[in-house]
């Protein structure tokens, strides 16, 4: 069942549909509704929150567009798989299929952020980051090296960890947040010597380099990632 919302006097000045979607998203984040579970119908939500059906529909339309829920004709509105990182996996084979990659465990170190990390993650001078490096393989060979930075304050689970099977979606879920939009750019860049050694390339060889930032639905930067990809019969599809 939906819990009663706070009384009107406690509400913020945000539009009602924004307040409603935040309340619904919070219930998904805290596990009240799990992946694949149906939400109450729009009329039930409208009655509980004492809102118009149009306001409820507007909130749900936004959630559909954000990939949090999906409408199924004649069945209702269902929570999508919030553990999936597939929407951020943008490498494709020549036939258009997703390049499925296995990931190694990631080495973890805590450090002060670089200027770029500070800018991309919105960090202050005293904030710290956890940096992780891992390799990814497909088709029987290593195809990618990833360097990842996350705000230390956002992921206390990583404190003292030296090596981890890194899973951003799982870490975020533990903190009762949901993954939101990602932004990225694609460059043709020389590969650093330490990365070249892992990929079996020569230092300075030009490869596809992906730079990506993922934010939460609350618009908090959660991850900055740089990935170097070996040349091959793959292509990249921009994040929608």
């Amino acid at each position: 069942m939906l819990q009663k919302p706070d009384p009107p006097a406690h509400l913020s000045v945000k539009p009602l549909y924004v307040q409603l979607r935040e309340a619904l998203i919070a219930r998904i984040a805290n596990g009240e509704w799990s992946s694949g579970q149906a939400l109450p119908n729009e009329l039930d939500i409208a009655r509980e929150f004492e809102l118009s059906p149009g306001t409820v529909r507007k909130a749900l339309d936004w959630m559909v567009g954000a990939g949090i829920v999906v409408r199924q004709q004649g069945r209702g509105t269902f929570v999508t798989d919030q553990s999936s990182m597939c929407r951020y996996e943008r490498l494709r084979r020549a036939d258009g299929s997703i390049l499925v990659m296995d990931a190694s465990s990631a080495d973890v170190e805590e450090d002060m952020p670089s200027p770029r990390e500070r800018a991309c993650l919105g960090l202050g001078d005293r904030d710290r980051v956890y940096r992780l490096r891992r390799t990814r393989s497909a088709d029987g060979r290593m195809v990618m090296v990833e360097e990842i930075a996350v705000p230390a304050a956002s992921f206390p689970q990583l404190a003292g960890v030296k090596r981890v099977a890194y899973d951003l979606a799982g870490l975020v879920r533990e903190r009762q947040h949901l993954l939101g939009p990602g932004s990225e750019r694609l460059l043709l860049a020389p590969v650093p010597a330490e990365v070249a050694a892992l990929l079996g390339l020569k230092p300075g060889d030009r490869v596809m380099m992906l730079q990506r930032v993922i934010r939460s639905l609350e618009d908090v930067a959660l991850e900055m990632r740089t990935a170097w990809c070996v040349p091959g019969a793959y292509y990249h599809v921009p994040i929608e």
Side-chain angles (χ1 to χ4, degrees):
M1 289 181 60
L2 287 169
Q3 297 177 355
K4 278 291 185 180
D6 292 327
H10 189 68
L11 294 178
S12 72
V13 295
K14 296 179 182 178
L16 289 174
Y17 81 92
V18 174
Q19 296 180 54
L20 175 61
R21 82 189 189 203
E22 289 178 349
L24 299 179
I25 288 170
R27 293 179 182 183
I28 295 171
N30 67 26
E32 185 171 334
W33 296 317
S34 58
S35 297
Q37 186 174 347
L39 270 62
N41 65 50
E42 293 182 8
L43 290 178
D44 286 342
I45 295 174
R47 278 194 290 267
E48 174 166 4
F49 284 84
E50 299 178 357
L51 298 171
S52 71
T55 298
V56 174
R57 194 168 303 112
K58 190 172 183 179
L60 291 177
D61 284 347
W62 186 94
M63 293 171 66
V64 169
I68 304 167
V69 297
V70 61
R71 289 192 177 101
Q72 297 183 13
Q73 187 67 34
R75 297 190 61 215
T77 303
F78 295 80
V79 179
T80 57
D81 183 2
Q82 298 301 313
S83 66
S84 175
M85 292 292 290
C86 288
R87 57 181 153 156
Y88 306 110
E89 300 294 345
R90 313 306 297 176
L91 284 183
R92 299 292 185 267
R93 301 179 185 276
D95 63 4
S97 61
I98 296 175
L99 179 66
V100 178
M101 295 179 287
D102 296 321
S104 70
S105 296
D107 295 316
V108 185
E109 66 173 5
E110 183 179 350
D111 200 358
M112 298 297 295
S114 68
R116 182 169 175 266
E117 289 167 342
R118 188 177 293 114
C120 289
L121 296 174
L123 301 177
D125 292 339
R126 298 184 179 181
D127 291 325
R128 298 180 70 83
V129 295
Y130 293 118
R131 290 203 196 95
L132 306 95
R133 174 180 283 183
R134 69 179 183 182
T135 60
R136 304 187 73 178
S137 59
D139 302 330
R141 66 167 297 187
M142 193 177 300
V143 298
M144 181 183 290
V145 174
E146 294 180 317
E147 292 188 350
I148 300 162
V150 298
S154 296
F155 299 105
Q157 312 100 303
L158 295 177
V161 174
K162 298 300 182 184
R163 193 165 177 84
V164 66
Y166 178 70
D167 172 22
L168 176 63
L171 291 172
V172 169
R173 189 167 57 252
E174 289 178 22
R175 303 289 289 169
Q176 296 190 357
H177 294 298
L178 295 178
L179 293 175
S183 60
E184 63 187 3
R185 65 176 183 167
L186 178 63
L187 306 169
L188 189 62
V191 63
E194 64 273 18
V195 174
L198 294 171
L199 294 176
L201 302 174
K202 296 178 182 178
D205 282 352
R206 299 182 75 81
V207 299
M208 181 170 61
M209 183 173 74
L210 300 173
Q211 295 179 333
R212 184 179 75 194
V213 175
I214 295 179
R215 310 182 73 83
S216 72
L217 282 174
E218 296 83 10
D219 199 33
V220 175
L222 296 173
E223 178 195 89
M224 187 194 86
R225 183 180 306 212
T226 301
W228 291 269
C229 312
V230 298
Y234 315 125
Y235 67 95
H236 179 263
V237 179
I239 292 177
E240 300 174 351

